[in-house]
Amino acid sequence: MTQRWLQQILAYPRLMIALCLVLIVSSGLGIGNLYFRGDYRIFFSADNPQLLAFEQMQQQFNKSDNILIAIAPDSQQVFSAETLRLVRQLTEAAWQTPYSIRVDSLSNYQHTEAIADDLWVADLVAEELELSSAELNKIAEVALNEPALRQRLVSADGRVTAINITLQLPEQNLQQEVKEVWQAVALMLDRHKAQYPDTDFHVSGVVAMNYAFAYEAENDVKTLIPIMFAAILLMLAWLLRSLLASLATLVIIVVTVISTLGLAGWAGLFLSTATVNVPTILMTLAVADSVHLIASMQFALRRGDSRLQAIQYSLKRNVMPVFITSATTAIGFLTLNFSEVPILRDLGNMTAVGVMLACLFSLVMLPAILLLLPVSAGSSKAAGAAGAYGADRTMLWLANSVIHWQRPLFWGMTLLIIGCSALISLNTINDEAVKYFSPDTEFRQANDFLEQNLTGATTIDFVLAGNGASAVNQPAFLAAVAGFTQWLQSQPEVQHVNSITDTFRRLNKSMHQDDPAYYRLPDNPEQAAQYLLMYEMSLPFGLDLNNQLNLDKSATRLAVSLQNLGSKQLTAFESRALTYLAEHASSYSASAASTALMFAHIGERNMASMLQTLPLALLLISLLLVFSLRSWRLGLLSLIPNITPALVAFGLWGLLSGEINLALSVVAGMSLGIIVDDTVHFLSKYRAARQEGQATEQAIRYAFTTVGRALWITTVVLVTGFAVLMLSGFRLNSDMGMLTALVILVALLIDFLFLPACLLKFDAKEYKTDATP
Amino acid sequence: MPHLNTTRFAGLMLVAGLLLALPALADTEKGLQIATEQKKRDSGWGDSESKILMILRDASGNESVRRMRTQALEVVDDGDKSLTIFDEPRDVRGSAFLTHSHPTAEDDQWLYLPAINRVRRIASRNKSGPFMASEFAYEDMTSFELAKYQFRYLRDDVLNGVSCYVIERIPADKFSGYSKTVAWVDQAHYRVQQIEFYDKKQSLLKTLQASNYQLFLDKYWRPMLLQMQNHQTGKRTDLKVEELQFNVGRSAADFDVNVLERLR
């Protein structure tokens, strides 16, 4: 059966290539459908409860998509004529930002003042002000004592101020819109930088984060893919020592990537910060298939076989292993489908399809190409590097050493594995969108600056809803909101609370000739409603209260800024706050939402779902091994080298970093499919030898000498490939690359040092010879 | 004779420039002409009284209702005067808003609050701000004065089967919230059918649709339904005129600030 289709391929190489080309071109055309998405929503499925709560909140109140520009004059004094003039100019210019619906700054803050018998509502830094020192002092006094400004738009020490631009993106082409906003802001700042060289600007906010997601992904494409290509070329040159053979491998890699991306395009998928690295991962995985096939062929050629014979020999030896290893790798990646994060599901599916395509092209197209190209046997030196299939002295030495030291190795490795596994408890789940960016990135630096100098970028919005329309004017409701505001302000994590109760107090005072005794909540609903009416009637375009009050004034939104917290602390804070509300404001309904909260929850949800799927993946893959090894005992034993690498690597990760983000929680499943390959190769050789009647020790020597070097080589290729991801400025990618590389490396060590010791201990019984041919 | 040549060239340029500028000039003139006619046809109505219902809707369709009564007085050679008394929401009932609008100077505005029994003047730079948290800004509701805009005729258009002039209006006041508005004025009666409002960054902000026009005093067309759709936030406000009467006997004395405190 296998033989027949192999013959077909080799009989009609041109036809095979043509058929493959048809497949490649027709799927490749789908690339035109691919588009890029960089917004934070790609991390959340449409039914994510935190996303739903967030969107519901945004429907009722203004959107909270924003750009926050921090302004830090070298003079460290915001309340100078020069800086305030800059703030005024920049505020005015900020209204020109595409999709902006609101601009808040020190200068256009609507300051209320009782002048004679009238309520005066006007810009704090009004246009006609000369900004004399008396005026500057007054502005500073108002700003630093105003709860709505202090620690939000101006630092308590008066060194840094900020402008907040609220945006309403139409979300027709989000990527384009985000880019438009970013470019407009950058251009605006460039103009002002020239005018104010002694002032630093730092840009943060949700839209800046969306832009950073896209920018870092673009950066990955620009830097990682070329590096990956260079790395692959180097490795191929080292492994195959033949230009044409390397070229053939490159062809397979390139067509695999093209058709995978094309199929993704046809399937309606998009590229994102996660899937943008599918080409890099695929290149890594596809290289192994080709290398095995070509190395076997070169071995046969050196033996004196004809080209056709050599290829036939190579196919016969490799069809099964290549297929099985591809299938297990695909299964590993398919486990990502159980992730809570849509783009990780996409990553899994694209890679799984790509791996199977690589398998197909390696088995069908590569032999045809090799038949047509005058590929050399490689130099005899290459036989050392790639000649994984001849006897190998180093490997023999290794095998003998392992057999000699089997008892200390067994107990030593057991202890080491248990010890490392214990370190897993050092890890905590943590997803902070800000920390996804490496400290070198501009976005991260702007955020760190803001956190140190103004206010944390982490926010939670709380909505408190009363009973029926105009509920916010009820004294009891306002008292509850004020109580909650006070509670929030007394929490150590909280840096700023924007609450409508502060506005009510200020209005009450201003309505009574600025008498400080009236800085309190209104006495009755009519007063409250009419102050609000008065105030709302006095506010200019874009500065209305809709970001704090909903349409029928039945609910109010409190915006809370927190110091940057880990996801555990953030969700703990959320539940603490909701518990407070349940105890002290039980007659009102309360909810909390924000992007930070969405990320804080996704990590844990993702980890939980991935942990549930791991046993399933393990079972599937182990069954596949039992089937291909045709032995229950070996299948069971294979669990050891399949499970332990992830345990050890996660333990080591606890020492190295200790933070598990959502990309890391999928590494165990993903890498399982890859490391299983080593076990398959090693155990199938071992079993073949045992079946021929050899003793355990001899069978181990045979396995080492036949596949030892091949395992070593593929491990080097894989570790290099995933290590390239470590260069990403985006921690989801760099951490994933690093941990996967670690798992693969540990897997090889365990296969070489622990698996043989286990076999010697648990599989010493003699085999019934020739159970299967 | 280089001198002559230059002169001739300059002359040629002048003519060319004039020819190029002429259509623009003509459009400006035609725009002003249409606006003038529109204003003329709406002159002489004297005074009126109306009952208004406002229905506010947010992006997800939640509704909130405002009710008010408005008295208005036409003032020749100055802006009109109006007095609005709020009935709903109930907690602002009895609040009254008095406006003396002026074609070029800032409007005078006062608000009477029954809860504290006080009248407060309101700074009129807020003209760009929303009226009662609706999608209507003050400036959308004040009287139409020629001096407030620069007009330009754009084109003829048929809107909902009605032949219209399309006129661009650029606000003269820097405190306006708009960079421009574009109005569809029907050719038969010079009634505003639709207005598009563009914000300061030149993006379409909202569209007003005026409909259910009724004829009063055999001369004055008034829309009984105004629908304002905000394209950026997805919010909308419907303003329904439930009752409208002319010649109700109001005089300037009824619009004096001192009247406010005697209301109820």
Side-chain angles (χ1 to χ4, degrees):
Chain A
M1 174 74 190
T2 319
Q3 290 296 340
R4 202 179 307 148
W5 70 260
L6 287 180
Q7 295 302 335
Q8 294 288 329
I9 296 171
L10 297 173
Y12 308 102
R14 286 191 173 79
L15 178 68
M16 284 303 146
I17 292 179
L19 283 176
C20 284
L21 279 178
V22 169
L23 174 69
I24 292 156
V25 170
S26 55
S27 51
L29 283 175
I31 289 182
N33 297 346
L34 277 182
Y35 59 100
F36 188 82
R37 271 188 69 187
D39 59 294
Y40 63 81
R41 272 172 217 233
I42 53 179
F43 290 93
F44 306 94
S45 50
D47 58 354
N48 180 290
Q50 280 78 34
L51 178 68
L52 288 178
F54 182 67
E55 296 204 316
Q56 204 192 346
M57 207 176 266
Q58 298 221 329
Q59 293 254 304
Q60 260 196 74
F61 299 86
N62 271 350
K63 285 249 178 177
S64 50
D65 284 351
N66 71 322
I67 286 271
L68 189 69
I69 304 169
I71 301 167
D74 286 353
S75 64
Q76 309 220 320
Q77 181 49 264
V78 164
F79 300 104
S80 70
E82 198 197 4
T83 304
L84 288 184
R85 227 169 263 135
L86 164 67
V87 171
R88 208 158 56 185
Q89 280 172 22
L90 212 51
T91 305
E92 199 55 39
W95 281 107
Q96 295 295 325
T97 312
Y99 315 115
S100 61
I101 55 168
R102 183 184 181 110
V103 178
D104 287 288
S105 76
L106 208 52
S107 73
N108 80 354
Y109 166 70
Q110 295 297 299
H111 174 53
T112 51
E113 206 176 340
I115 293 183
D117 213 19
D118 292 329
L119 176 73
W120 186 253
V121 181
D123 287 4
L124 180 59
V125 188
E127 214 173 322
E128 63 273 9
L129 290 187
E130 299 285 332
L131 301 179
S132 63
S133 61
E135 281 170 345
L136 290 175
N137 284 339
K138 192 187 150 195
I139 290 168
E141 203 205 308
V142 170
L144 295 177
N145 289 308
E146 173 50 53
L149 291 177
R150 191 188 151 102
Q151 294 279 84
R152 176 165 161 256
L153 293 180
V154 64
S155 62
D157 56 12
R159 287 180 179 184
V160 178
T161 183
I163 293 179
N164 190 47
I165 309 172
T166 308
L167 301 141
Q168 177 101 33
L169 302 177
E171 302 188 5
Q172 302 293 320
N173 181 352
L174 197 53
Q175 198 51 39
Q176 189 55 38
E177 292 157 15
V178 165
K179 204 169 165 185
E180 243 178 282
V181 169
W182 179 265
Q183 284 170 346
V185 170
L187 194 72
M188 173 177 81
L189 289 182
D190 280 346
R191 273 205 307 270
H192 286 84
K193 270 176 204 160
Q195 231 179 316
Y196 296 87
D198 299 329
T199 304
D200 287 332
F201 301 92
H202 305 266
V203 184
S204 172
V206 174
V207 174
M209 180 171 83
N210 281 343
Y211 181 78
F213 273 132
Y215 179 80
E216 289 307 326
E218 207 175 296
N219 228 12
D220 276 7
V221 173
K222 278 191 202 143
T223 57
L224 300 193
I225 292 184
I227 291 176
M228 193 62 210
F229 242 96
I232 289 211
L233 278 173
L234 276 175
M235 286 189 290
L236 287 177
W238 168 59
L239 294 170
L240 302 172
R241 310 270 164 143
S242 153
L243 184 68
L244 284 175
S246 305
L247 206 70
T249 309
L250 265 190
V251 167
I252 297 302
I253 291 170
V254 168
V255 299
T256 301
V257 170
I258 288 176
S259 25
T260 306
L261 291 180
L263 285 177
W266 286 126
L269 298 184
F270 55 87
L271 288 180
S272 64
T273 32
T275 50
V276 89
N277 286 308
V278 165
T280 315
I281 297 175
L282 274 183
M283 284 186 215
T284 309
L285 297 173
V287 121
D289 293 345
S290 301
V291 166
H292 282 301
L293 278 159
I294 294 175
S296 302
M297 174 194 165
Q298 287 175 325
F299 172 76
L301 281 176
R302 274 196 303 277
R303 208 169 53 179
D305 284 10
S306 74
R307 180 178 311 284
L308 184 65
Q309 281 173 331
I311 294 171
Q312 275 171 338
Y313 167 79
S314 167
L315 277 176
K316 220 159 85 186
R317 285 193 61 124
N318 289 298
V319 164
M320 240 357 225
V322 165
F323 176 75
I324 294 276
T325 55
S326 298
T328 52
T329 304
I331 290 174
F333 275 94
L334 285 175
T335 59
L336 300 200
N337 273 302
F338 294 93
S339 164
E340 284 283 322
V341 182
I343 52 170
L344 289 178
R345 297 201 283 262
D346 293 348
L347 169 71
N349 289 332
M350 281 171 74
T351 314
V353 168
V355 164
M356 291 322 286
L357 282 173
C359 171
L360 178 76
F361 292 137
S362 302
L363 293 180
V364 176
M365 194 172 167
L366 185 64
I369 294 176
L370 291 176
L371 202 57
L372 297 175
L373 286 179
V375 174
S376 73
S379 65
S380 57
K381 228 175 136 194
Y389 306 93
D392 189 311
R393 261 192 223 150
T394 323
M395 282 299 150
L396 191 61
W397 171 83
L398 187 59
N400 285 330
S401 308
V402 169
I403 292 166
H404 183 251
W405 298 104
Q406 53 172 295
R407 286 181 68 86
L409 267 179
F410 179 81
W411 292 112
M413 289 295 285
T414 306
L415 271 177
L416 206 64
I417 288 168
I418 292 172
C420 283
S421 307
L423 295 175
I424 290 180
S425 58
L426 291 179
N427 289 301
T428 46
I429 296 174
N430 192 20
D431 278 281
E432 289 171 72
V434 171
K435 290 228 181 122
Y436 288 169
F437 299 93
S438 99
D440 310 329
T441 56
E442 197 187 337
F443 174 73
R444 177 74 184 274
Q445 283 167 2
N447 258 295
D448 290 351
F449 178 86
L450 271 165
E451 199 204 353
Q452 280 153 26
N453 296 288
L454 188 60
T455 189
T458 309
T459 59
I460 298 187
D461 289 344
F462 288 93
V463 167
L464 227 61
N467 312 311
S470 300
V472 290
N473 296 323
Q474 299 295 331
F477 181 80
L478 283 179
V481 175
F484 182 48
T485 306
Q486 208 182 358
W487 180 85
L488 284 170
Q489 277 159 345
S490 67
Q491 302 307 303
E493 307 93 326
V494 172
Q495 298 195 324
H496 184 261
V497 184
N498 195 25
S499 168
I500 194 72
T501 48
D502 291 327
T503 309
F504 272 114
R505 288 199 181 99
R506 179 159 53 85
L507 285 173
N508 202 4
K509 184 180 103 171
S510 295
M511 292 302 259
H512 291 92
Q513 282 75 41
D514 282 338
D515 179 354
Y518 282 91
Y519 192 77
R520 57 173 201 230
L521 294 172
D523 301 329
N524 56 61
E526 287 75 24
Q527 252 184 37
Q530 291 169 28
Y531 290 171
L532 220 48
L533 176 75
M534 172 99 203
Y535 187 50
E536 283 192 300
M537 293 273 230
S538 308
L539 296 173
F541 174 73
L543 295 179
D544 53 59
L545 293 175
N546 194 229
N547 56 347
Q548 294 187 71
L549 298 173
N550 68 349
L551 196 66
D552 63 358
K553 299 194 168 60
S554 61
T556 183
R557 176 165 72 174
L558 291 92
V560 182
S561 304
L562 303 138
Q563 49 187 226
N564 287 352
L565 293 177
S567 52
K568 275 252 159 68
Q569 292 100 306
L570 193 65
T571 49
F573 174 80
E574 178 201 16
S575 54
R576 220 161 72 222
L578 292 177
T579 310
Y580 169 91
L581 287 171
E583 279 170 16
H584 297 87
S586 54
S587 44
Y588 310 116
S589 69
S591 59
S594 74
T595 45
L597 217 45
M598 282 154 61
F599 278 105
H601 282 276
I602 190 86
E604 248 158 88
R605 291 169 58 90
N606 195 47
M607 182 55 112
S609 61
M610 290 317 291
L611 283 178
Q612 280 166 9
T613 50
L614 260 187
L616 180 72
L618 209 58
L619 185 73
L620 262 175
I621 288 177
S622 300
L623 280 178
L624 209 66
L625 285 193
V626 168
F627 165 76
S628 75
L629 295 171
R630 298 196 180 87
S631 157
W632 284 100
R633 181 153 19 138
L634 287 184
L636 210 63
L637 266 176
S638 76
L639 283 175
I640 296 171
N642 290 346
I643 297 175
T644 49
L647 293 178
V648 171
F650 272 91
L652 292 176
W653 187 260
L655 282 181
L656 285 172
S657 157
E659 270 187 22
I660 302 284
N661 59 40
L662 50 85
L664 291 192
S665 51
V666 302
V667 165
M670 192 175 97
S671 57
L672 179 62
I674 302 174
I675 59 174
V676 128
D677 300 357
D678 292 353
T679 323
V680 171
H681 284 297
F682 192 92
L683 286 180
S684 60
K685 289 293 177 294
Y686 167 82
R687 185 185 162 274
R690 292 297 307 266
Q691 220 111 49
E692 285 166 18
Q694 297 185 25
T696 312
E697 288 184 12
Q698 198 50 39
I700 286 171
R701 277 191 199 99
Y702 177 74
F704 261 105
T705 48
T706 45
V707 292
R709 191 165 284 272
L711 295 189
W712 163 241
I713 286 167
T714 48
T715 300
V716 169
V717 171
L718 289 166
V719 168
T720 310
F722 282 97
V724 166
L725 288 184
M726 285 165 62
L727 301 172
S728 170
F730 193 61
R731 262 189 65 195
L732 288 187
N733 293 337
S734 58
D735 282 5
M736 186 174 82
M738 183 166 171
L739 187 56
T740 310
L742 197 60
V743 172
I744 295 171
L745 194 63
V746 170
L748 184 72
L749 289 177
I750 286 177
D751 279 324
F752 277 0
L753 303 180
F754 190 52
L755 180 60
C758 289
L759 289 171
L760 287 165
K761 198 163 181 66
F762 301 116
D763 194 47
K765 215 171 69 184
E766 212 174 298
Y767 276 48
K768 276 180 262 161
T769 45
D770 236 9
T772 39
Chain B
M1 294 189 189
H3 178 68
L4 190 70
N5 270 347
T6 339
T7 323
R8 192 181 287 168
F9 180 70
L12 221 65
M13 284 304 288
L14 190 69
V15 172
L18 271 177
L19 280 175
L20 279 174
L22 222 50
L25 256 174
D27 289 346
T28 316
E29 217 162 84
K30 189 169 176 185
L32 181 62
Q33 231 170 39
I34 294 165
T36 311
E37 180 63 22
Q38 183 193 342
K39 179 72 186 166
K40 201 183 100 193
R41 293 201 182 201
D42 202 44
S43 300
W45 49 269
D47 63 315
S48 71
E49 208 174 286
S50 56
K51 270 178 94 167
I52 288 168
L53 168 68
M54 264 175 138
I55 304 166
L56 283 57
R57 287 190 190 87
D58 68 14
S60 47
N62 297 317
E63 277 188 15
S64 179
V65 164
R66 315 263 185 274
R67 283 177 194 280
M68 62 205 86
R69 287 162 286 150
T70 297
Q71 300 164 8
L73 180 75
E74 186 182 21
V75 180
V76 183
D77 297 330
D78 198 358
D80 301 339
K81 296 181 177 183
S82 75
L83 175 63
T84 301
I85 301 160
F86 300 114
D87 291 331
E88 236 177 274
R90 208 172 305 153
D91 46 20
V92 298
R93 172 174 289 176
S95 303
F97 181 59
L98 177 67
T99 306
H100 293 179
S101 68
H102 307 294
T104 46
E106 288 184 13
D107 293 353
D108 294 306
Q109 300 175 330
W110 298 267
L111 187 65
Y112 167 72
L113 301 180
I116 51 167
N117 195 21
R118 291 256 165 76
V119 176
R120 290 279 187 265
R121 178 188 278 270
I122 295 182
S124 66
R125 283 184 190 173
N126 62 351
K127 69 189 302 178
S128 61
F131 181 79
M132 297 282 291
S134 74
E135 292 314 304
F136 287 88
Y138 285 99
E139 56 183 316
D140 305 342
M141 310 191 53
T142 53
S143 65
F144 175 67
E145 305 293 343
L146 294 177
K148 286 183 179 173
Y149 306 98
Q150 241 184 323
F151 298 94
R152 191 158 71 94
Y153 164 78
L154 296 179
R155 60 182 185 274
D156 286 352
D157 193 14
V158 178
L159 186 76
N160 305 325
V162 182
S163 299
C164 293
Y165 301 114
V166 184
I167 312 292
E168 179 191 80
R169 311 155 157 185
I170 296 175
D173 188 347
K174 65 171 175 176
F175 291 113
S176 168
Y178 310 124
S179 56
K180 68 171 183 190
T181 64
V182 177
W184 276 252
V185 180
D186 75 48
Q187 297 177 353
H189 302 288
Y190 288 83
R191 299 172 304 192
V192 169
Q193 300 289 327
Q194 173 177 294
I195 305 179
E196 288 178 347
F197 300 84
Y198 291 82
D199 65 16
K200 289 282 197 184
K201 56 180 191 292
Q202 311 285 342
S203 309
L204 180 59
L205 175 64
K206 26 181 211 183
T207 301
L208 173 72
Q209 308 263 357
S211 55
N212 296 0
Y213 268 97
Q214 281 183 22
L215 190 60
F216 292 86
L217 308 177
D218 279 338
K219 199 174 166 194
Y220 304 108
W221 288 99
R222 292 297 164 93
M224 295 296 108
L225 179 61
L226 294 168
Q227 294 167 298
M228 187 72 93
Q229 173 74 48
N230 188 318
H231 301 291
Q232 293 179 4
T233 61
K235 293 195 282 186
R236 64 179 291 141
T237 299
D238 289 356
L239 188 155
K240 290 181 181 165
V241 180
E242 295 187 316
E243 276 174 37
L244 176 58
Q245 284 176 309
F246 284 85
N247 289 332
V248 282
R250 300 284 161 191
S251 68
D254 297 312
F255 296 88
D256 193 85
V257 191
N258 300 322
V259 174
L260 280 178
E261 293 190 33
R262 279 181 271 126
L263 285 171
R264 283 278 161 146

